[in-house]
Amino acid sequence: MRKQSFKVGLIALLFTSISCTSDNDSNPNPEPNPTNYTLGGVGPAGGRIFYLDNTNHGYEMAGSLGTAKWQNITSLGQATNMAGLGTAIGTGEANTNLIVSTLGNGNYAAKLCADYTKNGFSDWFLPSKDELIKVYNFFNTCGCESINPINNYWSSSQGSNAGMAWNTDFMVNVNTTQSNNWTFELQKDQEVFVLPIRKF
């Protein structure tokens, strides 16, 4: 009886050992290291990376979607007051979601970004004021290329009242600086270029 118990125990031990080896062999490699993105390089959705943090995450931008109004209105008296829209980096996505949920369907800046898809990625949004300034600063200092077209672009941040929203003028020259309004408030019924961005 003792010898039989010893044999059964030995067989069980061998079976456990083989089973563990088999499990390890089915997944022999650890998770791959994340891609090392570079400022100015190509992002996971194929956009241009204009901002990176110290965790190798950041923002990429797609090309211009053409021009649109911030809100589809014919007069400023029709403008919707959008309380709760942020200006800081990290608020653009929430801004876009709030604008679209409030304004609904239409051909306006935030909706164009929310509906945009590139290389299978559909999480694009209209940048906040400070996110758009990051785009401006990148193209103003990198020396790699210019944004196209060089013109004014909407942010998703509302201005000082219901009829105004922040935009940035990318026409960089000696007469265009931050102190003399390359980022400024503009009436929401104006046609301005739209630039979608996304986080990764």
Side-chain angles (χ1 to χ4, degrees):
M1 291 295 290
R2 266 202 226 158
K3 286 184 180 178
Q4 189 174 2
S5 298
F6 175 76
K7 285 179 182 177
V8 170
L10 182 61
I11 290 168
L13 180 63
L14 288 171
F15 181 77
T16 303
S17 176
I18 291 168
S19 296
C20 291
T21 303
S22 177
D23 286 343
N24 288 338
D25 287 345
S26 67
N27 187 19
N29 298 317
E31 288 295 316
N33 291 328
T35 302
N36 289 320
Y37 297 110
T38 58
L39 195 62
V42 177
R48 179 73 64 191
I49 297 172
F50 65 89
Y51 177 76
L52 276 175
D53 61 22
N54 56 11
T55 67
N56 199 39
H57 291 85
Y59 291 82
E60 61 181 322
M61 52 158 282
S64 167
L65 301 183
T67 62
K69 296 179 179 181
W70 199 95
Q71 183 179 355
N72 273 337
I73 53 177
T74 55
S75 69
L76 293 184
Q78 300 171 327
T80 302
N81 184 37
M82 299 291 297
L85 297 181
T87 60
I89 294 171
T91 59
E93 184 173 19
N95 286 353
T96 300
N97 292 337
L98 178 57
I99 294 167
V100 172
S101 66
T102 302
L103 301 182
N105 291 328
N107 186 41
Y108 56 92
K111 189 68 165 65
L112 291 179
C113 293
D115 290 345
Y116 181 67
T117 299
K118 180 180 175 68
N119 294 331
F121 290 83
S122 58
D123 54 348
W124 300 86
F125 53 90
L126 188 65
S128 69
K129 174 188 173 185
D130 290 353
E131 289 164 353
L132 189 60
I133 288 174
K134 286 292 184 183
V135 177
Y136 175 94
N137 288 339
F138 171 73
F139 282 98
N140 192 30
T141 59
C142 74
C144 53
E145 59 184 284
S146 64
I147 197 166
N148 185 33
I150 303 174
N151 216 302
N152 294 61
Y153 288 82
W154 278 126
S155 83
S156 57
S157 302
Q158 183 168 276
S160 56
N161 61 63
M164 308 294 284
W166 287 97
N167 86 117
T168 290
D169 182 354
F170 281 76
M171 291 183 279
V172 181
N173 55 57
V174 293
N175 298 314
T176 307
T177 66
Q178 185 172 15
S179 62
N180 67 11
N181 292 337
W182 54 256
T183 295
F184 57 96
E185 295 182 26
L186 191 65
Q187 295 174 345
K188 289 181 179 179
D189 60 353
Q190 299 298 301
E191 292 273 346
V192 174
F193 281 92
V194 179
L195 185 76
I197 69 170
R198 66 177 296 275
K199 295 185 295 187
F200 62 89

